[in-house]
Amino acid sequence: FPVTILLPGVVMPNFRSGQTPGAWWSTTVVSGVGIEDVQIDLTSAGSVSNGVIFLNAYNSWMRNVHSRWAGQRSHVWMYGSKNITVRDSYFYEGQAHASQSYGVETFTASDCLIENNIFQKVTAPVIFNGTGHGCVVGYNYMREMTYGTPTWMIPSNDHHATGVGYILHEGNIGTGLIFDNVHGPVT
């Protein structure tokens, strides 16, 4: 019978064979696609949730993108994706300024690179909102985080779910880093 080898290997030390771990992969994957040198203005988009979505994507990227007024969720959403790069881009403002008003959001994404971006007036500039590991968040500039509740400012870098690990934060300028257990225990 055929044998599938996962490379690179699973890096989370809390996965053990006695826990009967499983794997999921999509039968429809987009690979090797990118978006570069564009402006995205979502001012009139209304209820559109995200600006750019990497859905079941692999080895893909965005570079030098200017995204304004993201919809009700994120400027960039990585969902079920691996090896995604977001770099050299500018993210300005969100329409909601609510708890789901993100810059770059990962949701079951791994081995991503979020580097050399500017986030201005984005409630939560970088958020790991679902399982993921092996990502690098480096040399981003985050300022004027805006949230609809005047008594709380969400830190610029947020681990917001269980199963998030081996994330390197390096050289960022922002309001802080938070590890919470809203969607499960912190690992």
Side-chain angles (χ1 to χ4, degrees):
F1 61 93
V3 175
T4 302
I5 298 173
L6 300 175
L7 294 174
V10 177
V11 299
M12 296 295 284
N14 56 343
F15 293 162
R16 293 181 273 295
S17 61
Q19 297 171 316
T20 317
W24 173 89
W25 53 84
S26 174
T27 57
T28 307
V29 175
V30 63
S31 179
V33 297
I35 178 173
E36 297 186 6
D37 304 320
V38 299
Q39 292 187 17
I40 301 169
D41 189 338
L42 298 164
T43 305
S44 301
S47 64
V48 172
S49 292
N50 303 287
V52 174
I53 302 172
F54 290 99
L55 176 63
N56 296 334
Y58 177 72
N59 282 343
S60 297
W61 70 94
M62 66 181 283
R63 185 187 66 78
N64 196 27
V65 173
H66 179 168
S67 178
R68 299 173 42 105
W69 294 97
Q72 299 300 315
R73 187 150 188 130
S74 327
H75 285 275
V76 179
W77 198 33
M78 299 178 205
Y79 188 93
S81 297
K82 181 174 171 33
N83 295 2
I84 306 298
T85 298
V86 177
R87 77 163 12 128
D88 305 330
S89 295
Y90 177 65
F91 303 100
Y92 179 78
E93 199 87 51
Q95 292 181 22
H97 297 297
S99 63
Q100 289 184 333
S101 183
Y102 308 133
V104 176
E105 176 188 8
T106 67
F107 197 90
T108 63
S110 62
D111 301 314
C112 53
L113 174 62
I114 303 164
E115 180 179 60
N116 197 37
N117 300 291
I118 297 172
F119 299 87
Q120 184 176 4
K121 294 187 177 183
V122 176
T123 301
V126 178
I127 187 165
F128 292 87
N129 212 6
T131 59
H133 65 275
C135 295
V136 174
V137 181
Y139 305 98
N140 298 288
Y141 181 65
M142 300 162 247
R143 61 176 290 195
E144 299 177 74
M145 273 58 76
T146 306
Y147 187 41
T149 303
T151 58
W152 172 252
M153 179 170 51
I154 297 174
S156 52
N157 296 277
D158 193 343
H159 291 207
H160 195 49
T162 189
V164 177
Y166 293 92
I167 309 296
L168 173 63
H169 293 271
E170 179 176 291
N172 297 295
I173 297 173
T175 57
L177 175 62
I178 188 171
F179 302 89
D180 67 40
N181 63 351
V182 170
H183 300 293
V186 176
T187 57

